[in-house]
Amino acid sequence: MSLLIVGSLAFDSVETPFGKIENALGGAATYISLAASFFTPNVRLVGVVGSDFPQSAFELFKKNKIDTEGIEIIEGGKTFRWSGRYHKNMNDRDSLSTELNVFEKFSPKLPQNYINSDFVCVGNIEPSLQRLVIEQAKNPKMIVGDTMNFWITGRKEELLKTIKKLDLFFINDTEAQLLADDDNLIRCGKKILQLGPKNLVIKKGEHGAMLFCGDQFFSTVALPLEKIVDPTGAGDCFAGGFIGHIAKTGDTSFENLKRAVLYGSVMASFCVEHFSIDGLLDLDSEKIEERFNKLKNISQVN
Ligand code: AMP
């Protein structure tokens, strides 16, 4: 089934205890679409870049069968840039700079053949832009979306309008605490559900993820990894693996959402082992299934 993805396409400069990269390919939409492409061959990408965006990125999308007709290229414009530094524990990071550049005047317009996409994932961008995409999509089976502290603090009112339209909202633990103004994650989950999304996933980095579906609840640990090199994009890969699995199966039942949480965790685990998108380059469904089964077995008892 078809999957429409919108979000940032970026150059990232990142510093972690393991090293540093400058102007590497990144952005929420990049990570989400690459992760989802291992599940479904019908991924459609919407975003905006400047003329500095490399041809090699378009070739990578093409190699992964990602449709890039929805990427607008602004001649003479500069692509979105973000830089961040991770603390020693790798769970906390500081955003050092966010340059919106071509995103400042972006007004997403879906190509005609994207309008009937079966599933929609609005990745991290300004929340009113997320809504513009949602409003153009015709009767999708499920709309999922993500955000970031930058928008929670800078565009809260717009964000609250967007999350009301989501069938499932992804947020990480510290962002959930910020949005709900509470330290306890279970209370945060309940408070955020009251803001309007039908379902909610709270991602907890190396501590796993929790799924809230009305009164139903599911929780998983994360894949046990001994070395985490760069957590950038982990949340986006989680979203890509999650919605990729849902688009592949077309099944939005609670049982399948639980499986999707595991696939999301698996894709995040590949992402964090390398800088930038490098952990997503040599993947195949066999490697993904192997980690899925490992994760499934970790908390299973007879
Ligand atoms: P994650 O680590 O999953 O939270 O996502 C990191 C990605 O989000 C990076 O590749 C950044 O380029 C992108 N990003 C950072 N800040 C923003 C923002 N304010 N809006 C959109 N994308 C962003």
Side-chain angles (χ1 to χ4, degrees):
M1 289 193 187
S2 52
L3 169 60
L4 170 65
I5 292 166
V6 65
S8 51
L9 296 147
F11 288 120
D12 288 345
S13 296
V14 176
E15 203 180 319
T16 83
F18 290 94
K20 211 171 152 160
I21 45 157
E22 301 228 336
N23 300 323
L25 180 60
T30 304
Y31 284 105
I32 299 170
S33 60
L34 287 173
S37 70
F38 293 99
F39 296 83
T40 168
N42 212 343
V43 175
R44 298 151 175 186
L45 193 45
V46 172
V48 63
V49 296
S51 37
D52 53 355
F53 199 66
Q55 192 53 34
S56 56
F58 284 105
E59 278 156 22
L60 175 64
F61 292 137
K62 193 168 167 199
K63 183 169 165 263
N64 284 264
K65 300 195 171 55
I66 297 166
D67 184 334
T68 57
E69 195 195 327
I71 299 183
E72 198 181 325
I73 304 170
I74 307 292
E75 277 314 315
K78 272 179 80 182
T79 297
F80 175 87
R81 276 178 159 72
W82 174 79
S83 66
R85 186 190 294 129
Y86 286 85
H87 299 190
K88 230 180 173 170
N89 71 11
M90 294 291 237
N91 275 335
D92 301 321
R93 76 175 173 208
D94 297 321
S95 282
L96 301 178
S97 66
T98 302
E99 296 174 39
L100 295 176
N101 298 330
V102 288
F103 267 102
E104 278 186 82
K105 293 196 175 142
F106 183 49
S107 178
K109 173 119 187 51
L110 299 190
Q112 196 57 34
N113 60 325
Y114 283 23
I115 287 173
N116 288 311
S117 298
D118 297 301
F119 293 89
V120 175
C121 179
V122 291
N124 182 19
I125 44 168
E126 200 281 320
S128 64
L129 296 182
Q130 292 180 314
R131 243 174 17 254
L132 268 179
V133 170
I134 292 171
E135 281 157 9
Q136 291 173 62
K138 244 192 199 161
N139 295 325
K141 297 183 195 351
M142 188 177 204
I143 304 170
V144 301
D146 191 16
T147 195
M148 201 172 164
N149 49 2
F150 187 80
W151 305 116
I152 298 172
T153 46
R155 289 277 199 286
K156 190 159 175 190
E157 287 310 309
E158 291 299 329
L159 179 65
L160 292 176
K161 286 187 213 161
T162 297
I163 64 179
K164 281 190 195 351
K165 297 189 178 287
L166 300 179
D167 295 305
L168 190 139
F169 182 37
F170 300 107
I171 193 164
N172 77 24
D173 43 9
T174 52
E175 291 159 356
Q177 287 162 333
L178 179 67
L179 182 61
D181 193 20
D182 199 324
D183 288 330
N184 178 291
L185 286 178
I186 301 297
R187 280 200 306 262
C188 286
K190 292 191 169 170
K191 285 186 181 176
I192 295 172
L193 275 185
Q194 280 172 6
L195 298 174
K198 292 199 183 74
N199 302 287
L200 172 73
V201 170
I202 299 185
K203 300 163 288 174
K204 300 187 291 173
E206 64 172 323
H207 302 298
M210 303 190 295
L211 168 68
F212 298 78
C213 269
D215 288 340
Q216 292 174 297
F217 176 79
F218 174 71
S219 174
T220 180
V221 295
L223 254 300
L225 299 176
E226 289 192 23
K227 192 168 177 189
I228 295 171
V229 171
D230 175 14
T232 308
D236 305 314
C237 287
F238 184 100
F242 184 102
I243 194 62
H245 171 70
I246 297 292
K248 176 183 175 180
T249 54
D251 175 359
T252 58
S253 66
F254 180 60
E255 279 309 307
N256 205 41
L257 295 185
K258 284 161 56 175
R259 267 177 234 120
V261 168
L262 296 203
Y263 279 111
S265 307
V266 166
M267 297 314 288
S269 76
F270 286 117
C271 172
V272 302
E273 291 179 317
H274 300 271
F275 277 105
S276 181
I277 51 146
D278 292 1
L280 304 173
L281 296 181
D282 292 319
L283 284 186
D284 54 40
S285 39
E286 206 176 308
K287 290 179 186 158
I288 293 170
E289 284 308 307
E290 192 183 307
R291 283 203 181 179
F292 175 84
N293 287 322
K294 188 172 172 192
L295 185 55
K296 203 170 80 173
N297 290 332
I298 282 176
S299 328
Q300 220 171 33
V301 284
N302 291 316

